Short mmCIF file of all heavy atoms in Angstrom, two decimals:
data_model
loop_
_atom_site.label_atom_id
_atom_site.label_comp_id
_atom_site.label_asym_id
_atom_site.label_seq_id
_atom_site.Cartn_x
_atom_site.Cartn_y
_atom_site.Cartn_z
N MET Q 1 99.38 129.77 115.73
CA MET Q 1 99.20 128.69 116.67
C MET Q 1 99.93 129.04 117.97
O MET Q 1 101.01 129.60 117.95
CB MET Q 1 99.74 127.39 116.09
CG MET Q 1 99.58 126.21 117.01
SD MET Q 1 100.27 124.69 116.39
CE MET Q 1 99.05 124.25 115.19
N GLU Q 2 99.33 128.72 119.05
CA GLU Q 2 99.93 129.05 120.34
C GLU Q 2 100.99 128.03 120.72
O GLU Q 2 100.91 126.85 120.37
CB GLU Q 2 98.85 129.03 121.42
CG GLU Q 2 97.81 130.11 121.28
CD GLU Q 2 96.80 130.04 122.39
OE1 GLU Q 2 97.01 129.26 123.34
OE2 GLU Q 2 95.80 130.75 122.30
N VAL Q 3 101.96 128.51 121.46
CA VAL Q 3 102.99 127.61 121.98
C VAL Q 3 102.39 126.74 123.07
O VAL Q 3 102.79 125.58 123.24
CB VAL Q 3 104.19 128.43 122.50
CG1 VAL Q 3 105.23 127.54 123.13
CG2 VAL Q 3 104.80 129.25 121.38
N GLY Q 4 101.41 127.25 123.78
CA GLY Q 4 100.76 126.49 124.84
C GLY Q 4 100.12 125.21 124.34
O GLY Q 4 100.18 124.16 125.00
N LEU Q 5 99.51 125.27 123.16
CA LEU Q 5 98.89 124.08 122.59
C LEU Q 5 99.95 123.03 122.26
O LEU Q 5 99.75 121.83 122.52
CB LEU Q 5 98.09 124.44 121.34
CG LEU Q 5 97.43 123.28 120.61
CD1 LEU Q 5 96.38 122.64 121.49
CD2 LEU Q 5 96.84 123.76 119.30
N ILE Q 6 101.06 123.48 121.70
CA ILE Q 6 102.14 122.55 121.37
C ILE Q 6 102.69 121.90 122.63
O ILE Q 6 102.95 120.69 122.66
CB ILE Q 6 103.25 123.28 120.59
CG1 ILE Q 6 102.71 123.77 119.25
CG2 ILE Q 6 104.46 122.38 120.38
CD1 ILE Q 6 103.64 124.68 118.51
N LEU Q 7 102.84 122.68 123.69
CA LEU Q 7 103.34 122.13 124.95
C LEU Q 7 102.34 121.15 125.57
O LEU Q 7 102.75 120.14 126.15
CB LEU Q 7 103.66 123.26 125.92
CG LEU Q 7 104.84 124.15 125.54
CD1 LEU Q 7 105.00 125.28 126.53
CD2 LEU Q 7 106.11 123.34 125.43
N LYS Q 8 101.05 121.44 125.45
CA LYS Q 8 100.05 120.51 125.97
C LYS Q 8 100.10 119.18 125.24
O LYS Q 8 100.07 118.11 125.86
CB LYS Q 8 98.64 121.11 125.83
CG LYS Q 8 98.31 122.18 126.82
CD LYS Q 8 96.90 122.69 126.57
CE LYS Q 8 96.61 123.93 127.40
NZ LYS Q 8 95.28 124.46 127.10
N VAL Q 9 100.17 119.23 123.92
CA VAL Q 9 100.22 118.01 123.12
C VAL Q 9 101.50 117.23 123.43
O VAL Q 9 101.46 116.00 123.59
CB VAL Q 9 100.12 118.33 121.61
CG1 VAL Q 9 100.40 117.10 120.77
CG2 VAL Q 9 98.74 118.89 121.29
N ALA Q 10 102.61 117.93 123.55
CA ALA Q 10 103.87 117.25 123.88
C ALA Q 10 103.82 116.65 125.28
O ALA Q 10 104.31 115.53 125.50
CB ALA Q 10 105.03 118.24 123.76
N GLY Q 11 103.24 117.36 126.22
CA GLY Q 11 103.12 116.84 127.58
C GLY Q 11 102.27 115.59 127.66
O GLY Q 11 102.63 114.61 128.32
N VAL Q 12 101.13 115.63 126.98
CA VAL Q 12 100.26 114.44 126.95
C VAL Q 12 101.01 113.28 126.28
O VAL Q 12 100.95 112.14 126.77
CB VAL Q 12 98.94 114.75 126.21
CG1 VAL Q 12 98.16 113.48 125.92
CG2 VAL Q 12 98.10 115.71 127.02
N GLY Q 13 101.71 113.57 125.22
CA GLY Q 13 102.46 112.53 124.52
C GLY Q 13 103.52 111.88 125.38
O GLY Q 13 103.68 110.66 125.40
N MET Q 14 104.25 112.71 126.14
CA MET Q 14 105.29 112.16 127.01
C MET Q 14 104.70 111.33 128.14
O MET Q 14 105.20 110.25 128.46
CB MET Q 14 106.16 113.29 127.57
CG MET Q 14 107.12 113.86 126.55
SD MET Q 14 108.31 114.98 127.26
CE MET Q 14 107.31 116.42 127.52
N LEU Q 15 103.63 111.83 128.75
CA LEU Q 15 102.99 111.06 129.83
C LEU Q 15 102.45 109.73 129.33
O LEU Q 15 102.61 108.69 129.99
CB LEU Q 15 101.86 111.87 130.46
CG LEU Q 15 102.28 113.03 131.35
CD1 LEU Q 15 101.05 113.83 131.77
CD2 LEU Q 15 103.01 112.51 132.57
N ILE Q 16 101.83 109.75 128.18
CA ILE Q 16 101.28 108.52 127.61
C ILE Q 16 102.40 107.56 127.24
O ILE Q 16 102.30 106.35 127.47
CB ILE Q 16 100.39 108.83 126.39
CG1 ILE Q 16 99.17 109.65 126.81
CG2 ILE Q 16 99.96 107.57 125.67
CD1 ILE Q 16 98.25 108.97 127.79
N ALA Q 17 103.50 108.06 126.68
CA ALA Q 17 104.61 107.19 126.28
C ALA Q 17 105.24 106.50 127.49
O ALA Q 17 105.50 105.30 127.45
CB ALA Q 17 105.65 108.01 125.53
N VAL Q 18 105.46 107.26 128.55
CA VAL Q 18 106.05 106.67 129.76
C VAL Q 18 105.11 105.66 130.38
O VAL Q 18 105.51 104.55 130.75
CB VAL Q 18 106.43 107.79 130.76
CG1 VAL Q 18 106.81 107.19 132.11
CG2 VAL Q 18 107.56 108.63 130.21
N SER Q 19 103.84 106.02 130.48
CA SER Q 19 102.86 105.10 131.06
C SER Q 19 102.71 103.84 130.21
O SER Q 19 102.58 102.73 130.75
CB SER Q 19 101.50 105.79 131.19
OG SER Q 19 101.61 106.93 132.00
N HIS Q 20 102.76 104.00 128.90
CA HIS Q 20 102.67 102.85 128.00
C HIS Q 20 103.85 101.91 128.21
O HIS Q 20 103.67 100.68 128.26
CB HIS Q 20 102.62 103.34 126.55
CG HIS Q 20 102.41 102.23 125.56
ND1 HIS Q 20 103.42 101.44 125.11
CD2 HIS Q 20 101.28 101.79 124.94
CE1 HIS Q 20 102.95 100.55 124.27
NE2 HIS Q 20 101.65 100.75 124.14
N GLN Q 21 105.04 102.46 128.34
CA GLN Q 21 106.22 101.62 128.56
C GLN Q 21 106.13 100.87 129.88
O GLN Q 21 106.46 99.69 129.96
CB GLN Q 21 107.48 102.48 128.53
CG GLN Q 21 107.85 102.98 127.15
CD GLN Q 21 108.18 101.86 126.21
OE1 GLN Q 21 108.80 100.88 126.59
NE2 GLN Q 21 107.75 102.00 124.97
N ILE Q 22 105.68 101.56 130.93
CA ILE Q 22 105.55 100.91 132.24
C ILE Q 22 104.54 99.78 132.19
O ILE Q 22 104.80 98.68 132.69
CB ILE Q 22 105.17 101.95 133.31
CG1 ILE Q 22 106.33 102.92 133.55
CG2 ILE Q 22 104.76 101.27 134.61
CD1 ILE Q 22 105.98 104.11 134.41
N LEU Q 23 103.40 100.04 131.57
CA LEU Q 23 102.38 98.99 131.48
C LEU Q 23 102.83 97.83 130.60
O LEU Q 23 102.55 96.66 130.91
CB LEU Q 23 101.06 99.57 130.96
CG LEU Q 23 100.30 100.45 131.94
CD1 LEU Q 23 99.14 101.13 131.25
CD2 LEU Q 23 99.81 99.63 133.12
N SER Q 24 103.53 98.11 129.52
CA SER Q 24 104.01 97.05 128.64
C SER Q 24 105.03 96.16 129.34
O SER Q 24 105.00 94.94 129.20
CB SER Q 24 104.63 97.64 127.38
OG SER Q 24 103.64 98.25 126.59
N LYS Q 25 105.93 96.77 130.08
CA LYS Q 25 106.96 96.00 130.78
C LYS Q 25 106.37 95.14 131.89
O LYS Q 25 106.94 94.11 132.24
CB LYS Q 25 108.02 96.93 131.37
CG LYS Q 25 108.79 97.72 130.35
CD LYS Q 25 109.67 96.84 129.50
CE LYS Q 25 110.42 97.71 128.51
NZ LYS Q 25 111.22 96.95 127.60
N SER Q 26 105.24 95.57 132.45
CA SER Q 26 104.62 94.78 133.52
C SER Q 26 103.65 93.74 132.98
O SER Q 26 102.97 93.07 133.76
CB SER Q 26 103.92 95.70 134.52
OG SER Q 26 102.84 96.36 133.91
N GLY Q 27 103.55 93.61 131.67
CA GLY Q 27 102.71 92.57 131.07
C GLY Q 27 101.27 92.95 130.88
O GLY Q 27 100.42 92.08 130.65
N ARG Q 28 100.95 94.20 130.95
CA ARG Q 28 99.56 94.65 130.78
C ARG Q 28 99.43 95.35 129.42
O ARG Q 28 99.16 96.54 129.33
CB ARG Q 28 99.18 95.59 131.90
CG ARG Q 28 99.22 94.93 133.24
CD ARG Q 28 98.83 95.86 134.33
NE ARG Q 28 98.79 95.16 135.60
CZ ARG Q 28 98.45 95.72 136.73
NH1 ARG Q 28 98.12 97.00 136.75
NH2 ARG Q 28 98.45 95.03 137.83
N ASP Q 29 99.60 94.57 128.38
CA ASP Q 29 99.61 95.13 127.02
C ASP Q 29 98.25 95.69 126.61
O ASP Q 29 98.18 96.69 125.90
CB ASP Q 29 100.06 94.08 126.01
CG ASP Q 29 101.52 93.70 126.22
OD1 ASP Q 29 102.30 94.59 126.60
OD2 ASP Q 29 101.86 92.52 125.99
N GLU Q 30 97.17 95.04 127.05
CA GLU Q 30 95.83 95.53 126.68
C GLU Q 30 95.57 96.90 127.29
O GLU Q 30 95.03 97.80 126.63
CB GLU Q 30 94.76 94.54 127.14
CG GLU Q 30 94.79 93.21 126.44
CD GLU Q 30 95.77 92.24 127.12
OE1 GLU Q 30 96.22 92.54 128.24
OE2 GLU Q 30 96.08 91.21 126.51
N GLN Q 31 95.96 97.07 128.55
CA GLN Q 31 95.75 98.36 129.19
C GLN Q 31 96.66 99.43 128.59
O GLN Q 31 96.27 100.59 128.48
CB GLN Q 31 96.00 98.24 130.69
CG GLN Q 31 94.94 97.41 131.38
CD GLN Q 31 95.26 97.17 132.84
OE1 GLN Q 31 96.36 97.40 133.29
NE2 GLN Q 31 94.25 96.70 133.57
N ALA Q 32 97.85 99.03 128.16
CA ALA Q 32 98.76 99.98 127.51
C ALA Q 32 98.18 100.46 126.20
O ALA Q 32 98.28 101.65 125.86
CB ALA Q 32 100.12 99.33 127.31
N MET Q 33 97.56 99.54 125.45
CA MET Q 33 96.95 99.93 124.18
C MET Q 33 95.76 100.87 124.41
O MET Q 33 95.60 101.86 123.69
CB MET Q 33 96.49 98.68 123.42
CG MET Q 33 96.04 98.94 122.00
SD MET Q 33 94.27 98.97 121.69
CE MET Q 33 93.63 97.67 122.64
N LEU Q 34 94.95 100.58 125.42
CA LEU Q 34 93.83 101.46 125.74
C LEU Q 34 94.30 102.83 126.20
O LEU Q 34 93.68 103.86 125.87
CB LEU Q 34 92.94 100.83 126.80
CG LEU Q 34 92.07 99.67 126.34
CD1 LEU Q 34 91.34 99.04 127.51
CD2 LEU Q 34 91.09 100.12 125.29
N LEU Q 35 95.39 102.87 126.95
CA LEU Q 35 95.96 104.14 127.38
C LEU Q 35 96.42 104.96 126.18
O LEU Q 35 96.19 106.17 126.12
CB LEU Q 35 97.12 103.89 128.34
CG LEU Q 35 97.78 105.14 128.89
CD1 LEU Q 35 96.86 105.82 129.88
CD2 LEU Q 35 99.10 104.78 129.54
N SER Q 36 97.06 104.31 125.22
CA SER Q 36 97.50 105.02 124.01
C SER Q 36 96.31 105.56 123.23
O SER Q 36 96.34 106.69 122.73
CB SER Q 36 98.31 104.08 123.12
OG SER Q 36 99.47 103.67 123.77
N LEU Q 37 95.26 104.77 123.15
CA LEU Q 37 94.05 105.22 122.46
C LEU Q 37 93.43 106.42 123.16
O LEU Q 37 93.01 107.38 122.50
CB LEU Q 37 93.05 104.06 122.39
CG LEU Q 37 91.76 104.32 121.61
CD1 LEU Q 37 92.07 104.63 120.17
CD2 LEU Q 37 90.85 103.12 121.73
N CYS Q 38 93.40 106.40 124.48
CA CYS Q 38 92.88 107.54 125.24
C CYS Q 38 93.73 108.79 125.02
O CYS Q 38 93.21 109.90 124.92
CB CYS Q 38 92.83 107.21 126.72
SG CYS Q 38 91.54 106.03 127.15
N GLY Q 39 95.04 108.61 124.94
CA GLY Q 39 95.93 109.74 124.66
C GLY Q 39 95.65 110.37 123.31
O GLY Q 39 95.62 111.59 123.17
N ILE Q 40 95.43 109.53 122.32
CA ILE Q 40 95.11 110.04 120.98
C ILE Q 40 93.79 110.80 121.00
O ILE Q 40 93.66 111.87 120.40
CB ILE Q 40 95.06 108.87 119.97
CG1 ILE Q 40 96.46 108.32 119.75
CG2 ILE Q 40 94.46 109.32 118.64
CD1 ILE Q 40 96.50 107.04 118.96
N ILE Q 41 92.81 110.28 121.72
CA ILE Q 41 91.51 110.95 121.80
C ILE Q 41 91.63 112.30 122.50
O ILE Q 41 91.04 113.30 122.07
CB ILE Q 41 90.48 110.04 122.50
CG1 ILE Q 41 90.16 108.85 121.60
CG2 ILE Q 41 89.22 110.80 122.87
CD1 ILE Q 41 89.35 107.76 122.27
N ILE Q 42 92.42 112.36 123.57
CA ILE Q 42 92.61 113.62 124.28
C ILE Q 42 93.25 114.67 123.38
O ILE Q 42 92.81 115.82 123.33
CB ILE Q 42 93.46 113.40 125.55
CG1 ILE Q 42 92.66 112.62 126.59
CG2 ILE Q 42 93.95 114.72 126.13
CD1 ILE Q 42 93.48 112.14 127.77
N VAL Q 43 94.27 114.27 122.62
CA VAL Q 43 94.93 115.21 121.72
C VAL Q 43 93.98 115.65 120.61
O VAL Q 43 93.95 116.83 120.24
CB VAL Q 43 96.22 114.59 121.15
CG1 VAL Q 43 96.78 115.41 120.01
CG2 VAL Q 43 97.26 114.43 122.26
N LEU Q 44 93.18 114.74 120.09
CA LEU Q 44 92.22 115.11 119.05
C LEU Q 44 91.18 116.10 119.58
O LEU Q 44 90.77 117.02 118.86
CB LEU Q 44 91.54 113.87 118.49
CG LEU Q 44 92.39 113.02 117.55
CD1 LEU Q 44 91.62 111.76 117.14
CD2 LEU Q 44 92.81 113.81 116.33
N ILE Q 45 90.75 115.92 120.82
CA ILE Q 45 89.80 116.87 121.41
C ILE Q 45 90.42 118.25 121.51
O ILE Q 45 89.78 119.27 121.20
CB ILE Q 45 89.32 116.36 122.79
CG1 ILE Q 45 88.39 115.17 122.60
CG2 ILE Q 45 88.61 117.46 123.56
CD1 ILE Q 45 88.03 114.46 123.89
N LEU Q 46 91.69 118.31 121.94
CA LEU Q 46 92.38 119.61 122.01
C LEU Q 46 92.46 120.26 120.63
O LEU Q 46 92.22 121.47 120.48
CB LEU Q 46 93.80 119.43 122.56
CG LEU Q 46 93.94 119.10 124.04
CD1 LEU Q 46 95.38 118.76 124.37
CD2 LEU Q 46 93.46 120.25 124.89
N LEU Q 47 92.77 119.47 119.61
CA LEU Q 47 92.89 120.03 118.27
C LEU Q 47 91.55 120.45 117.68
O LEU Q 47 91.47 121.47 116.99
CB LEU Q 47 93.58 119.02 117.35
CG LEU Q 47 95.05 118.74 117.68
CD1 LEU Q 47 95.59 117.67 116.75
CD2 LEU Q 47 95.87 120.00 117.61
N VAL Q 48 90.50 119.71 117.97
CA VAL Q 48 89.18 120.07 117.47
C VAL Q 48 88.72 121.38 118.08
O VAL Q 48 88.11 122.22 117.40
CB VAL Q 48 88.17 118.93 117.73
CG1 VAL Q 48 86.74 119.40 117.56
CG2 VAL Q 48 88.45 117.76 116.81
N GLN Q 49 89.02 121.59 119.35
CA GLN Q 49 88.66 122.86 119.99
C GLN Q 49 89.39 124.02 119.31
O GLN Q 49 88.80 125.08 119.06
CB GLN Q 49 89.00 122.82 121.47
CG GLN Q 49 88.10 121.92 122.27
CD GLN Q 49 88.54 121.78 123.71
OE1 GLN Q 49 89.64 122.17 124.08
NE2 GLN Q 49 87.68 121.20 124.52
N GLU Q 50 90.66 123.84 118.99
CA GLU Q 50 91.41 124.89 118.31
C GLU Q 50 90.89 125.12 116.89
O GLU Q 50 90.83 126.26 116.43
CB GLU Q 50 92.90 124.54 118.26
CG GLU Q 50 93.62 124.78 119.55
CD GLU Q 50 93.64 126.24 119.95
OE1 GLU Q 50 93.93 127.10 119.09
OE2 GLU Q 50 93.36 126.53 121.12
N LEU Q 51 90.51 124.05 116.21
CA LEU Q 51 89.95 124.21 114.87
C LEU Q 51 88.62 124.95 114.91
O LEU Q 51 88.30 125.72 114.00
CB LEU Q 51 89.78 122.85 114.20
CG LEU Q 51 91.08 122.20 113.73
CD1 LEU Q 51 90.79 120.80 113.20
CD2 LEU Q 51 91.77 123.03 112.68
N GLY Q 52 87.83 124.72 115.95
CA GLY Q 52 86.58 125.46 116.12
C GLY Q 52 86.83 126.94 116.30
O GLY Q 52 86.13 127.79 115.73
N THR Q 53 87.84 127.27 117.09
CA THR Q 53 88.20 128.68 117.28
C THR Q 53 88.68 129.29 115.97
O THR Q 53 88.33 130.43 115.65
CB THR Q 53 89.31 128.79 118.35
OG1 THR Q 53 88.86 128.15 119.54
CG2 THR Q 53 89.64 130.23 118.64
N LEU Q 54 89.48 128.55 115.23
CA LEU Q 54 89.95 129.03 113.92
C LEU Q 54 88.79 129.26 112.97
O LEU Q 54 88.75 130.29 112.27
CB LEU Q 54 90.94 128.03 113.32
CG LEU Q 54 91.45 128.34 111.91
CD1 LEU Q 54 92.28 129.63 111.91
CD2 LEU Q 54 92.25 127.19 111.37
N TYR Q 55 87.83 128.36 112.95
CA TYR Q 55 86.67 128.49 112.08
C TYR Q 55 85.87 129.74 112.44
O TYR Q 55 85.44 130.50 111.55
CB TYR Q 55 85.80 127.24 112.19
CG TYR Q 55 84.56 127.28 111.35
CD1 TYR Q 55 84.63 127.20 109.97
CD2 TYR Q 55 83.30 127.41 111.94
CE1 TYR Q 55 83.48 127.24 109.20
CE2 TYR Q 55 82.16 127.44 111.19
CZ TYR Q 55 82.25 127.36 109.82
OH TYR Q 55 81.11 127.41 109.07
N ASP Q 56 85.66 129.99 113.73
CA ASP Q 56 84.93 131.18 114.15
C ASP Q 56 85.67 132.46 113.77
O ASP Q 56 85.06 133.44 113.34
CB ASP Q 56 84.71 131.15 115.66
CG ASP Q 56 83.71 130.09 116.08
OD1 ASP Q 56 82.89 129.68 115.22
OD2 ASP Q 56 83.75 129.67 117.25
N THR Q 57 86.99 132.44 113.90
CA THR Q 57 87.78 133.61 113.52
C THR Q 57 87.69 133.89 112.03
O THR Q 57 87.53 135.03 111.60
CB THR Q 57 89.26 133.40 113.90
OG1 THR Q 57 89.33 133.11 115.32
CG2 THR Q 57 90.09 134.61 113.59
N ILE Q 58 87.74 132.85 111.22
CA ILE Q 58 87.63 133.01 109.76
C ILE Q 58 86.26 133.55 109.39
O ILE Q 58 86.13 134.42 108.52
CB ILE Q 58 87.92 131.68 109.05
CG1 ILE Q 58 89.41 131.35 109.17
CG2 ILE Q 58 87.52 131.74 107.58
CD1 ILE Q 58 89.79 129.98 108.66
N ARG Q 59 85.21 133.05 110.06
CA ARG Q 59 83.87 133.56 109.79
C ARG Q 59 83.75 135.03 110.14
O ARG Q 59 83.10 135.80 109.42
CB ARG Q 59 82.83 132.76 110.59
CG ARG Q 59 82.52 131.44 109.95
CD ARG Q 59 81.42 130.68 110.64
NE ARG Q 59 80.41 131.54 111.21
CZ ARG Q 59 79.53 131.14 112.12
NH1 ARG Q 59 79.58 129.92 112.57
NH2 ARG Q 59 78.62 131.97 112.57
N ASP Q 60 84.36 135.45 111.26
CA ASP Q 60 84.32 136.85 111.65
C ASP Q 60 85.08 137.74 110.68
O ASP Q 60 84.65 138.85 110.36
CB ASP Q 60 84.88 137.04 113.06
CG ASP Q 60 83.97 136.45 114.13
OD1 ASP Q 60 82.77 136.23 113.83
OD2 ASP Q 60 84.46 136.21 115.24
N VAL Q 61 86.23 137.27 110.21
CA VAL Q 61 87.05 138.07 109.31
C VAL Q 61 86.34 138.29 107.98
O VAL Q 61 86.33 139.41 107.44
CB VAL Q 61 88.44 137.40 109.11
CG1 VAL Q 61 89.18 138.04 107.94
CG2 VAL Q 61 89.27 137.50 110.37
N PHE Q 62 85.75 137.25 107.45
CA PHE Q 62 85.12 137.37 106.13
C PHE Q 62 83.64 137.71 106.22
O PHE Q 62 82.97 137.85 105.19
CB PHE Q 62 85.31 136.07 105.33
CG PHE Q 62 86.74 135.85 104.94
CD1 PHE Q 62 87.48 134.84 105.51
CD2 PHE Q 62 87.34 136.65 103.99
CE1 PHE Q 62 88.79 134.63 105.16
CE2 PHE Q 62 88.66 136.46 103.62
CZ PHE Q 62 89.39 135.44 104.22
N GLY Q 63 83.10 137.84 107.40
CA GLY Q 63 81.71 138.25 107.56
C GLY Q 63 80.71 137.24 107.08
O GLY Q 63 79.67 137.59 106.53
N LEU Q 64 80.99 135.98 107.28
CA LEU Q 64 80.08 134.94 106.81
C LEU Q 64 79.04 134.61 107.86
O LEU Q 64 79.18 134.64 108.99
CB LEU Q 64 80.86 133.66 106.46
CG LEU Q 64 81.89 133.85 105.35
CD1 LEU Q 64 82.69 132.57 105.17
CD2 LEU Q 64 81.21 134.19 104.05
#
């Protein structure tokens, strides 16, 4: 696993956490929840792309 992927996920997590706190403190709880949901979706997209690369590598190694 690349260190870059871990840093991307951590960066997205920190940005979402700070933004969520700011929105929650200003009384916009619905928007904070939607922001958290968007953060989860972004991280899942990053992970799915990496899993696709892993799947292709496994297929190449075993000749499937």
